[in-house]
Amino acid sequence: MASVKVAVRVRPFNQREIDLNSDTIIDMVENKTTISNPKIPEASEGDFSREKRKEFTYDYSYWSLEKQRNNFASQLRVFDDIGRGVIQSAFEGYNCCIFAYGQTGSGKSYTMMGAPGTDDEGLIPRICQGLFEGMQEKNDLNSSFRTEVSYLEIYNERVRDLLKVNKGMYSLRVREHPKDGPYVQDLSKHLVMDYGDIFTLMDRGNSVRTTASTNMNDVSSRSHAIFTIKFIQAKLVNDLPSETVSKIHLVDLAGSERADASGATGQRLKEGGSRGGWR
């Protein structure tokens, strides 16, 4: 698979946009995304006609606005296209990362986390399930697996461990190891034996993640969240022990937003400035 892939996804209208009688200005056909400028008339000619519609090509263009369209992209389809490749790469010994970026309320948390345990669960729970399913398929007398997870958020430029009992502390420091690269000092790592263990930890972390209501999103993620899976494979190769370590970083970034559109003031305004999210 390619070292870097880019996907774009359009979500359904929320109630605010329905109340405003918003128009659809996005269209997607296969991997192409077209944006129409409603301020330019359809009959424009010359340079104006070229400005009316802009077309962009990505690895994937996911239409999730209307379920009745043939090209509707479900959570499962996003996982099949993106998540399965991450699982395969992890078993091959590669480090992988998926991160979701976009405006606040654009569906990043839904795509990454969704509702675990339902048909709407997102990439993170599906990748975790797929990883353990792959371990069961590959498990034999010559191989063993060990899986650890950690979950942190970066809020107002401070790092917080979402899985520690003392959830109020924002005191973790980012260090750099000469061999392993950047890491978070004292971040807790949790050994998991099956998907049920991961589900419990995800639920614990999600329950304390920093969120708030804005004009654009009733449950807006105000922090960057990073769920990390450390995947260790041990096996015998030519009767000699061999160990492969892979890391999967699954990142849900806090949204970028316009202060006037989101209605952010006070603490909400400070949050956007700290994470570089104002436009």
Side-chain angles (χ1 to χ4, degrees), residues 213-214 222 257 259 262-271 278:
S213 176
T214 71
R222 313 308 295 172
E257 54 193 20
S262 66
T265 59
Q267 182 64 19
R268 303 288 85 79
L269 190 66
K270 179 183 176 182
E271 292 165 352
W278 295 124

Side-chain angles (χ1 to χ4, degrees), residues 5 11 16-17 32 39 53 55 57 106 115 118 129 133 138 146 160 166 181 197 213 229 267:
K5 289 188 177 182
R11 60 154 175 77
R16 171 179 174 271
E17 292 156 346
K32 296 184 184 299
K39 296 180 180 180
R53 289 182 179 82
E55 185 178 277
T57 301
S106 60
T118 72
Q129 289 181 68
E133 289 171 0
K138 298 176 184 294
R146 179 185 174 89
R160 177 189 184 192
N166 188 353
D197 292 344
S213 176
I229 306 166
Q267 182 64 19

Side-chain angles (χ1 to χ4, degrees), residues 170-182:
Y170 285 87
S171 58
L172 301 186
R173 296 178 179 273
V174 178
R175 304 291 193 186
E176 183 157 4
H177 190 276
K179 179 180 177 181
D180 299 330

Side-chain angles (χ1 to χ4, degrees), residues 27-181:
D27 194 25
M28 293 177 170
V29 177
E30 296 180 346
N31 64 340
K32 296 184 184 299
T33 297
T34 302
I35 304 176
S36 300
N37 186 345
K39 296 180 180 180
I40 299 178
E42 288 288 348
S44 301
E45 298 180 355
D47 292 339
F48 285 106
S49 65
R50 288 192 292 271
E51 293 296 325
K52 174 64 180 176
R53 289 182 179 82
K54 294 287 190 180
E55 185 178 277
F56 303 89
T57 301
Y58 301 92
D59 293 291
Y60 303 103
S61 290
Y62 292 124
W63 177 268
S64 299
L65 181 64
E66 301 163 322
K67 287 188 176 181
Q68 57 267 35
R69 274 193 34 173
N70 292 333
N71 63 337
F72 176 78
S74 64
Q75 295 280 71
L76 178 59
R77 180 183 164 192
V78 175
F79 168 70
D80 285 339
D81 288 344
I82 298 174
R84 293 194 186 279
V86 168
I87 295 170
Q88 179 183 344
S89 295
F91 274 102
E92 292 173 354
Y94 294 101
N95 295 331
C96 311
C97 177
I98 298 178
F99 70 89
Y101 172 79
Q103 183 175 317
T104 185
S106 60
K108 300 179 301 300
S109 295
Y110 174 76
T111 296
M112 293 301 294
M113 188 64 70
T118 72
D119 290 340
D120 279 337
E121 61 188 4
L123 281 169
I124 294 177
R126 289 178 189 271
I127 287 173
C128 293
Q129 289 181 68
L131 197 62
F132 278 102
E133 289 171 0
M135 285 186 237
Q136 291 178 349
E137 293 174 1
K138 298 176 184 294
N139 193 22
D140 56 47
L141 296 177
N142 293 322
S143 62
S144 62
F145 304 94
R146 179 185 174 89
T147 308
E148 299 175 351
V149 300
S150 60
Y151 199 7
L152 66 84
E153 74 171 358
I154 304 171
Y155 175 69
N156 284 349
E157 299 183 350
R158 304 177 74 179
V159 181
R160 177 189 184 192
D161 191 334
L162 292 175
L163 299 180
K164 269 192 175 177
V165 176
N166 188 353
K167 302 178 180 67
M169 294 182 62
Y170 285 87
S171 58
L172 301 186
R173 296 178 179 273
V174 178
R175 304 291 193 186
E176 183 157 4
H177 190 276
K179 179 180 177 181
D180 299 330

